[in-house]
Amino acid sequence: NGTRSKYHVSLEDYALNYKHMIEMITNWNEKSVAVALMTPPPCDTEVLIESRDNEVTKLYAEACMNLAREANVPVVNLWSGLQHPSAANRAEASSLRWRSDHLSDGLHLTPMGNYRVFELVVEMLERPRGESGLGLSVMELPRSLPDHSKIDPDHPHISFSDP
């Protein structure tokens, strides 16, 4: 139940944890590792009256955005990026249509919500460095694992072994 939940992380700890993660990742190999942050997505307070508040979630999203600015790393702003209706429903008058488009139960993403996250991540990856992006072409990113279409469903371990 919100801040009373055993899973609740204070805003201060949230920011500190993110800061430690950025430092840990960049210390691995600063030249070959790209770091980007992602804000928490919005929630539907009307559905999750007892456990979530979108205005509190906004505070966590803002803390993430501030950390990204301080650390000079790109950020995917899910909190605001998901609070718009899907392209198919933008003409509809309701500004709350994003809730049913992107959230299945007030918290978890629908397939359309997951697709919107994908779009926001690709936008960030392809934006030039210095403009809150990583300047990477998604189509040219190297794969470290085989494409899902190349995995043998009967013997998946073979697909992951070295040639």
Side-chain angles (χ1 to χ4, degrees), residues 4 6 8 14 16 20 22 27 32 35 37 52 57 63 65 70 77 98 103 105 116 120-121 125 131-132 145 158 163:
R4 297 183 303 272
K6 66 180 180 179
H8 176 75
Y14 173 83
L16 193 58
H20 288 313
I22 294 168
N27 286 335
S32 66
V35 175
L37 303 183
R52 300 283 191 283
T57 305
M65 299 289 288
E70 289 171 19
N77 189 345
W98 66 267
L103 302 173
D105 59 2
R116 182 65 184 134
L120 292 167
V121 169
L125 289 171
E131 294 179 27
S132 300
L145 297 172
I158 293 172

Side-chain angles (χ1 to χ4, degrees), residues 79-147:
W79 191 84
S80 64
L82 287 170
Q83 290 191 65
H84 303 285
S86 68
N89 294 322
R90 285 211 179 101
E92 199 171 297
S94 173
S95 63
L96 301 178
R97 178 60 192 245
W98 66 267
R99 294 173 176 177
S100 58
D101 282 353
H102 298 139
L103 302 173
S104 63
D105 59 2
L107 181 64
H108 298 97
L109 298 174
T110 62
M112 197 180 302
N114 280 302
Y115 185 76
R116 182 65 184 134
V117 170
F118 166 77
E119 289 178 323
L120 292 167
V121 169
V122 169
E123 286 172 16
M124 179 276 302
L125 289 171
E126 293 188 338
R127 254 191 321 267
R129 285 187 180 270
E131 294 179 27
S132 300
L134 291 174
L136 301 170
S137 168
V138 173
M139 297 306 291
E140 295 174 16
L141 289 174
R143 290 186 177 267
S144 55
L145 297 172
D147 185 81

Side-chain angles (χ1 to χ4, degrees), residues 11-12 14-16 18-19 22 36-40 56-80 132:
L11 189 56
E12 181 181 326
Y14 173 83
L16 193 58
Y18 245 146
K19 194 171 188 174
I22 294 168
L37 303 183
M38 187 177 290
T39 71
V56 173
T57 305
K58 180 182 180 181
L59 297 174
Y60 285 76
E62 288 171 347
C64 181
M65 299 289 288
N66 289 335
L67 278 166
R69 220 175 350 270
E70 289 171 19
N72 198 28
V73 297
V75 63
V76 176
N77 189 345
L78 297 183
W79 191 84
S80 64
S132 300

